[in-house]
């Protein structure tokens, strides 16, 4: 009963925060600042996916920019095809392309594009995860492999001028369903959808990390060998959760792209993938809410510092990360929980005793020895 009550409180808090973001923030923030918040909330979606695989499953991915970028390119390709029948996206004419490439054709369809935003990064993550996890590659080797994959995808998209406009990426989106993409009202719709999908993603991750499945993920993180000896195959669970995380990153990339107005190979840069990990580390691993808090804190700090101290703001960002790692290794939310402060409900007390010295039966026996 108490657990059900805590869940209802958490749902209520999430709904209240979402409504505040949708109703209150547009009245408080300027159009530019609201668009900036929308982008950061899109980044918080991918941070939730990273917390799911890193915080709960122990898989440190340094290549989530791949899935983020693929989701962004998918929606961008649909937007670039919003041209009169028979015409090609503007950049293709600059490179002498006279016929639309075959793999661009499905992106004429909005439903297929939405499916691509989710399935392309999700299936790629699942395939990559299967090839890696079936060989029992984990730890730092897994992180290195994901980083190497990022280099491959970055160089591929960066070098494809005819297909993806190379370094410049896909830009200058005009219309969507007849509405101007850059119009304030259209951008507010994108912002609202971002808030709703962030809340939904939080709910999905919360559901996945609860119950038996969530306990199994934590068991894989803490002692994979024992899980294997208990009769479970960690490979299947790791592939599944990695694919889900990749799909979440694709959705985040799509929302970020339609609000920023462009997507480029920089989304697949190694530095950007590492930044995602920093957001989760600052907020607190295995907390979910910490991933959101860390993303907003770091990105707003970067924005403020870059505006006030354009030449040295990177030093502040590095100092922030070092402080968190050395002083708050569990992140901000993790530290709050260690102080018995919870954003939703008080942490449940552990039913077992940490040491024999505190066991009341042991104390009783010691007090009565010799009597």
């Amino acid at each position: 009963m108490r657990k059900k009550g805590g869940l209802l409180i958490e749902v209520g808090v999430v709904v209240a925060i979402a409504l505040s973001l949708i109703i209150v923030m547009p009245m408080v923030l300027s159009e530019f600042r609201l668009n900036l918040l929308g982008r950061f909330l899109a980044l918080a979606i991918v941070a939730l996916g990273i917390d799911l695989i890193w915080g709960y499953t122990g898989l440190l991915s340094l290549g989530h920019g791949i899935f983020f970028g693929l989701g962004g390119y998918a929606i961008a390709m649909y937007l670039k095809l919003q041209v009169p029948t028979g015409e090609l996206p503007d950049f293709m004419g600059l490179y002498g392309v006279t016929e639309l490439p075959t793999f661009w054709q499905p992106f004429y369809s909005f439903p297929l594009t939405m499916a691509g935003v989710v399935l392309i990064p999700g299936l790629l993550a699942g395939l990559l995860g299967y090839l890696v996890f079936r060989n029992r590659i984990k730890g730092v080797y897994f992180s290195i492999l994901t980083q190497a994959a990022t280099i491959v995808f970055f160089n591929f998209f960066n070098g494809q001028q005819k297909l993806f406009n190379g370094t410049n990426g896909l830009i200058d989106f005009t219309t969507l369903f007849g509405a101007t993409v850059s119009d304030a009202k259209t951008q507010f719709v994108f912002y609202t959808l971002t808030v709703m999908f962030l809340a939904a993603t939080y709910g999905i991750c919360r559901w996945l990390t609860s119950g038996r499945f969530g306990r199994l993920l934590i068991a894989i993180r803490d002692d994979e060998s024992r899980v294997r000896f208990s009769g479970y195959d960690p490979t299947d669970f790791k592939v599944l959760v990695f694919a889900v995380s990749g799909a979440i990153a694709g959705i985040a990339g799509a929302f970020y792209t339609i609000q920023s107005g462009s997507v480029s190979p920089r989304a697949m840069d190694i530095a950007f993938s590492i930044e995602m990990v920093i957001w989760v580390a600052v907020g607190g691993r295995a907390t979910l809410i910490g991933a959101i808090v860390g993303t907003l804190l770091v990105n707003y700090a970067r924005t403020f510092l870059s505006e006030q101290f354009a030449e040295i703001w990177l030093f502040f960002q590095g100092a922030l990360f070092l402080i968190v790692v050395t002083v708050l290794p569990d992140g901000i939310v993790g530290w709050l929980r260690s102080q018995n402060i919870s954003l939703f409900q008080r942490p449940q007390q552990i039913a077992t005793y940490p040491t024999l010295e505190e066991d009341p039966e042991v104390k009783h026996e010691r007090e009565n020895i010799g009597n």
Side-chain angles (χ1 to χ4, degrees):
M1 192 69 179
R2 182 181 301 176
K3 182 178 180 181
K4 184 177 180 180
L7 180 60
L8 290 176
I9 293 174
E10 184 172 354
V11 171
V13 171
V14 171
V15 172
I17 293 175
L19 290 176
S20 298
L21 289 171
I22 295 173
I23 299 174
V24 178
M25 286 302 174
M27 296 186 294
V28 176
L29 301 177
S30 65
E31 181 181 328
F32 170 75
R33 295 296 177 183
L34 187 66
N35 179 265
L36 204 61
L37 176 59
R39 299 186 204 181
F40 295 163
L41 292 175
L43 296 177
I45 295 177
V46 69
L48 283 173
I50 291 177
D51 196 20
L52 180 64
I53 61 169
W54 183 34
Y56 286 91
T57 321
L59 305 173
L60 176 56
S61 171
L62 298 180
H64 251 53
I66 296 173
F67 315 122
F68 182 89
L70 288 175
Y73 269 98
I75 190 66
M77 290 166 71
Y78 173 80
L79 293 173
K80 292 299 291 184
L81 289 175
Q82 302 306 298
V83 293
T85 304
E87 293 188 13
L88 299 177
D90 49 11
F91 74 91
M92 289 187 177
L94 300 176
Y95 301 108
V97 178
T98 58
E99 185 177 354
L100 189 70
T102 304
F103 70 90
W104 273 73
Q105 299 287 345
F107 293 97
Y108 274 119
S109 168
F110 184 74
L112 289 179
T113 299
M114 292 299 97
V117 166
V118 179
L119 294 179
I120 292 175
L123 292 177
L124 177 63
L127 176 60
L128 178 61
Y130 175 75
L131 295 175
V132 173
F133 299 139
R134 72 169 184 171
N135 293 310
R136 302 189 182 183
I137 298 174
K138 56 184 179 180
V140 65
Y141 299 103
F142 170 74
S143 301
I144 292 174
L145 280 175
T146 56
Q147 194 173 62
T150 304
I151 297 175
V152 172
F153 275 85
F154 173 82
N155 288 330
F156 174 77
F157 278 85
N158 195 54
Q160 297 299 319
Q161 284 82 9
K162 295 183 178 181
L163 300 180
F164 303 109
N165 202 24
T167 305
N168 298 321
L170 303 180
I171 57 176
D172 296 332
F173 309 136
T174 54
T175 61
L176 176 63
F177 299 127
T180 304
V181 174
S182 59
D183 184 72
K185 293 182 179 179
T186 307
Q187 285 296 316
F188 178 71
V189 173
F190 296 153
Y191 168 80
T192 302
L193 289 174
T194 302
V195 174
M196 295 172 62
F197 269 85
L198 176 60
T201 303
Y202 176 84
I204 292 173
C205 292
R206 184 76 170 81
W207 174 65
L208 288 174
T209 55
S210 302
R212 294 182 60 184
F213 187 80
R215 290 194 293 271
L216 184 58
L217 294 182
I218 295 175
I220 293 173
R221 178 195 68 188
D222 294 341
D223 196 337
E224 184 175 335
S225 298
R226 180 171 294 184
V227 172
R228 195 179 299 276
F229 292 148
S230 299
Y232 294 95
D233 185 4
T235 300
D236 296 335
F237 295 97
K238 290 162 71 174
V239 170
L240 174 61
V241 77
F242 194 60
V244 171
S245 180
I248 290 174
I251 295 172
F255 278 116
Y256 187 86
T257 297
I258 58 179
Q259 293 181 93
S260 63
S262 66
V263 62
S264 72
R266 290 181 60 84
M268 301 179 182
D269 192 11
I270 292 177
F272 186 55
S273 294
I274 295 176
E275 279 187 39
M276 297 177 183
V277 174
I278 293 176
W279 304 336
V280 178
V282 171
R285 289 189 298 158
T287 61
L288 294 183
I289 189 65
I292 300 174
V293 172
T295 302
L296 296 178
L297 177 62
V298 173
N299 281 282
Y300 266 112
R302 179 179 63 182
T303 300
F304 173 78
L305 294 172
S306 62
E307 291 174 350
Q308 300 297 322
F309 310 99
E311 297 181 356
I312 59 174
W313 70 271
L314 282 174
F315 293 99
F316 286 103
Q317 182 178 1
L320 173 64
F321 182 59
L322 289 175
I323 290 173
V324 170
V325 170
T326 56
V327 180
L328 301 174
D330 295 326
I332 296 173
V333 175
W335 177 81
L336 291 175
R337 288 187 175 181
S338 69
Q339 304 299 313
N340 290 327
I341 302 174
S342 178
L343 298 180
F344 295 120
Q345 58 183 341
R346 292 185 63 84
Q348 296 181 354
Q349 298 296 323
I350 299 175
T352 56
Y353 296 98
T355 65
L356 289 176
E357 299 294 333
E358 299 179 18
D359 192 324
E361 294 184 4
V362 174
K363 290 183 178 180
H364 178 74
E365 291 180 0
R366 288 181 176 178
E367 292 173 355
N368 292 277
I369 289 178
N371 295 338

